[in-house]
Amino acid sequence: MKELINSPLVHVCLTLIVFILSKKLQKRYKSPLLNPILITVSVVILFLLFTDTSYADYERNTQVISFWLAPSVVALGYALYSFLEEIKADFRKIVLSMLAGSLTGIISVFMTAYLFGASKVTMISLAPKSVTMPIAIEVSKEMGGIPSLTVAFVIIVGVLGAIFGQTYLSLIGVNDPKSVGLSLGATSHALGAASISERGPDFSAFGGLGMALNGVVTAIFAPWVIKFLLLLLY
Amino acid sequence: MILIKQVAIFLGLWLLGELISFYTHLPLSGSIIGMLLLVVALEFKLIKTRDVKEVADFLLNNMALFFIPAGVGLMCHYHVLSQEWLPISIAIVVSALLVMTVVGLIMKKRS
């Protein structure tokens, strides 16, 4: 029985079933707090603690799932390509806002964490927090952060943006689909984009664009910015 | 067979990205280089949309699932989170507000 519980079959089954159920739960109650990732991660952790299984075992057993993370980053190229005409039409403005947003995100989270006494590895893990998860994981891994810590930060930023983003943006007078979509997508990735879908397809399309572009810009610039800031501070 | 070919394209681009990353020492992971290669290949019609569409949709729609194993790794970092929750929370909130403000105002001002 012990061998069965600690097997790829059981761990993969558990992960898939809990993930499917939590997706259904979110669809039914539409609360951004019922994030499927948040729920699945919590349930799996409880299961591992309860069955006295180490994370190393779970990680090895679920490689069949995590293997597809990198190909899904490659697939983002397909999403980006489908937005190419829209990007070309408004090229300079969009590029400027995404560059500024990405740099602001990396530098502000890094410096604020530093000022309030976070450790170096926490700061690096925080740096890609606004980016879509697979890219954030890759940046974190590349720079010596802790990928699973980055995952938690990405989820927190996503949930925050989904709950408070629209209210804040209308407070500073940002209401058109392009501006709202790009800023929420750039701040809170897929969760931000999904949170504005009921305002119209153009809102969520620009949300997706903001997520994809901020992801690419951050993937390209974050490693250099982080290296520079580390040299400056340590 | 179509799906296998599409999967092979994605894995091939990933592998190509890994090789480029390895030989050029760029601080970019192989998968991110693979993503950029895919945009270029689609734009220059080296790869047609229909050669990647089904698998791309599958991967993009289920992305959340693929990082669950990484997320579960959180259980190993309980001590970091409990020790540094204050700087982490402040940094995340401040930074999220700044990013929204910067992107929102630039887009609004020039539109």
Side-chain angles (χ1 to χ4, degrees):
Chain A
M1 195 57 196
K2 187 84 186 157
E3 289 85 52
L4 185 62
I5 286 176
N6 189 352
S7 71
L9 180 60
V10 166
H11 283 165
V12 171
C13 271
L14 172 79
T15 308
L16 289 181
I17 291 168
V18 178
F19 183 72
I20 293 165
L21 289 179
S22 55
K23 268 197 132 167
K24 285 204 160 141
L25 203 68
Q26 191 191 36
K27 214 171 179 177
R28 181 134 170 219
Y29 294 103
K30 293 189 169 51
S31 161
L33 283 173
L34 289 175
N35 182 266
I37 303 160
L38 210 60
I39 295 174
T40 312
V41 165
S42 317
V43 172
V44 171
I45 289 180
L46 287 177
F47 177 84
L48 295 180
L49 293 175
F50 189 70
T51 56
D52 201 20
T53 313
S54 72
Y55 173 63
D57 284 343
Y58 175 79
E59 189 186 27
R60 196 176 48 245
N61 286 336
T62 51
Q63 268 169 10
V64 66
I65 298 175
S66 50
F67 177 81
W68 296 101
L69 191 64
S72 74
V73 177
V74 177
L76 279 173
Y78 173 80
L80 199 61
Y81 171 75
S82 58
F83 281 120
L84 220 52
E85 290 312 311
E86 307 222 26
I87 303 174
K88 281 177 183 166
D90 226 343
F91 191 70
R92 278 179 47 199
K93 188 165 66 177
I94 293 177
V95 167
L96 179 69
S97 73
M98 287 298 119
L99 270 176
S102 170
L103 289 178
T104 305
I106 303 165
I107 296 171
S108 64
V109 82
F110 204 87
M111 294 310 292
T112 315
Y114 177 76
L115 287 176
F116 285 90
S119 66
K120 199 157 129 185
V121 70
T122 303
M123 286 156 59
I124 298 173
S125 308
L126 271 169
K129 57 125 190 43
S130 278
V131 174
T132 185
M133 191 96 58
I135 292 182
I137 290 176
E138 294 293 342
V139 170
S140 179
K141 208 187 290 172
E142 191 76 32
M143 298 313 300
I146 303 171
S148 52
L149 204 55
T150 300
V151 169
F153 300 152
V154 170
I155 294 173
I156 295 169
V157 172
V159 174
L160 268 179
I163 300 175
F164 302 111
Q166 291 194 68
T167 319
Y168 176 71
L169 283 172
S170 62
L171 216 66
I172 60 171
V174 175
N175 289 306
D176 63 296
K178 218 176 241 185
S179 312
V180 171
L182 283 172
S183 43
L184 264 179
T187 309
S188 298
H189 49 94
L191 288 172
S195 72
I196 43 176
S197 58
E198 75 268 22
R199 283 171 79 173
D202 43 349
F203 277 87
S204 44
F206 278 104
L209 179 60
M211 169 183 83
L213 284 180
N214 187 41
V216 177
V217 173
T218 305
I220 295 170
F221 288 106
W224 278 289
V225 176
I226 295 171
K227 271 187 186 165
F228 175 75
L229 290 175
L230 284 173
L231 274 176
L232 208 70
L233 297 174
Y234 294 96
Chain B
M1 217 27 222
I2 292 171
L3 291 183
I4 293 177
K5 189 180 150 196
Q6 295 197 0
V7 168
I9 289 178
F10 282 101
L11 297 187
L13 285 168
W14 176 18
L15 178 62
L16 199 59
E18 290 294 341
L19 290 172
I20 293 174
S21 170
F22 180 79
Y23 284 110
T24 58
H25 304 288
L26 287 171
L28 288 178
S29 71
S31 57
I32 289 166
I33 296 175
M35 169 182 76
L36 298 173
L37 290 175
L38 179 59
V39 177
V40 173
L42 286 168
E43 176 70 359
F44 289 99
K45 313 278 180 234
L46 299 170
I47 294 175
K48 293 184 192 73
T49 313
R50 65 176 151 85
D51 292 331
V52 289
K53 190 179 184 320
E54 283 77 15
V55 171
D57 286 337
F58 170 79
L59 291 170
L60 292 171
N61 290 336
N62 296 291
M63 222 167 191
L65 174 68
F66 306 139
F67 34 70
I68 296 231
V72 173
L74 200 61
M75 65 190 279
C76 308
H77 309 296
Y78 174 74
H79 60 284
V80 178
L81 287 177
S82 58
Q83 274 169 12
E84 301 186 34
W85 65 272
L86 187 67
I88 289 170
S89 327
I90 296 174
I92 285 180
V93 171
V94 167
S95 178
L97 287 177
L98 282 175
V99 175
M100 264 192 279
T101 312
V102 167
V103 177
L105 291 185
I106 289 178
M107 288 305 297
K108 187 187 153 200
K109 191 178 174 188
R110 307 177 96 232
S111 54

